[in-house]
Amino acid sequence: FPVTIQLEAFHRLRIGIAHPGHRDLVTDYVLHPPGKADAELIEGAIVKALDYMPDILAGTLKDNIVNLA
């Protein structure tokens, strides 16, 4: 059975990636695993975001959202 959760709002973590330089390279760039350096940057961003989990759970994330940039 499908499960649905109806929430008025939810939080999501968006992590941007670089651009490969030419528009014809974008599809392959975003659909393949990142290189080692990029993977480390992604993991670091996730770890930094996890530092804010207490704020997310407490509902005070808006007070600290600018710190994630």
Side-chain angles (χ1 to χ4, degrees), residues 34-51:
K36 183 177 179 179
D38 287 334
E40 289 174 357
L41 289 171
I42 293 167
E43 185 174 332
I46 293 169
V47 168
K48 184 176 179 181
L50 287 174
D51 289 341

Side-chain angles (χ1 to χ4, degrees), residues 31-64:
L31 295 179
H32 286 88
K36 183 177 179 179
D38 287 334
E40 289 174 357
L41 289 171
I42 293 167
E43 185 174 332
I46 293 169
V47 168
K48 184 176 179 181
L50 287 174
D51 289 341
Y52 292 92
M53 187 57 70
D55 294 317
I56 292 168
L57 296 174
T60 59
L61 180 63
K62 289 181 183 179
D63 298 337
N64 295 301

Side-chain angles (χ1 to χ4, degrees), residues 19-46:
H19 193 281
H22 190 274
R23 67 184 180 129
D24 292 339
L25 302 174
V26 171
T27 301
D28 284 338
Y29 185 76
V30 299
L31 295 179
H32 286 88
K36 183 177 179 179
D38 287 334
E40 289 174 357
L41 289 171
I42 293 167
E43 185 174 332
I46 293 169

